[in-house]
Amino acid sequence: MLTATRPHTAALSRLGHALSDSTRAAVLLALRNGPAYPSELADDLGVSRQVMSNQLACLRGCGLVEAVAEGRRSSYRLADPHLAPALTELLQVVLSVEPNCCTGEGCSCS
């Protein structure tokens, strides 16, 4: 078992901070599927581009996402390949703890 050091707990706290906001959590979950442009994320999540910019800056600061320059535009992706399966597993834990948060045929949580 991995011993939790101060840097480990600080990293886990950054993840907790990132997940404490529903927009940031939605961005992380969306990026599990691959890179996306900020404008697409904003439209998909129903927030303004300014809000999306602020949330992406926070996630960059937490070390969870990174920008990839593509000419005059930048797309965003998860900073580490371990994040996508970890977020999926975390979502499964949430659904097992609170199974009524997403029910019915239209559920796309997992």
Side-chain angles (χ1 to χ4, degrees), residues 38-85:
S39 59
E40 294 169 348
L41 289 167
D43 291 344
D44 290 348
L45 300 178
V47 299
S48 71
R49 292 180 183 193
Q50 182 61 49
V51 166
M52 183 55 60
S53 177
N54 292 341
Q55 300 298 7
L56 287 168
C58 178
L59 291 170
R60 275 193 324 269
C62 289
L64 299 173
V65 302
E66 58 189 14
V68 178
E70 299 175 3
R72 297 173 67 194
R73 296 176 67 182
S74 291
S75 65
Y76 283 80
R77 65 182 179 198
L78 295 175
D80 186 281
H82 294 96
L83 279 170

Side-chain angles (χ1 to χ4, degrees), residues 23-41:
T23 301
R24 289 192 298 266
V27 168
L28 290 171
L29 292 173
L31 292 178
R32 290 180 305 162
N33 300 320
Y37 294 104
S39 59
E40 294 169 348
L41 289 167

Side-chain angles (χ1 to χ4, degrees), residues 3 10 46:
T3 302

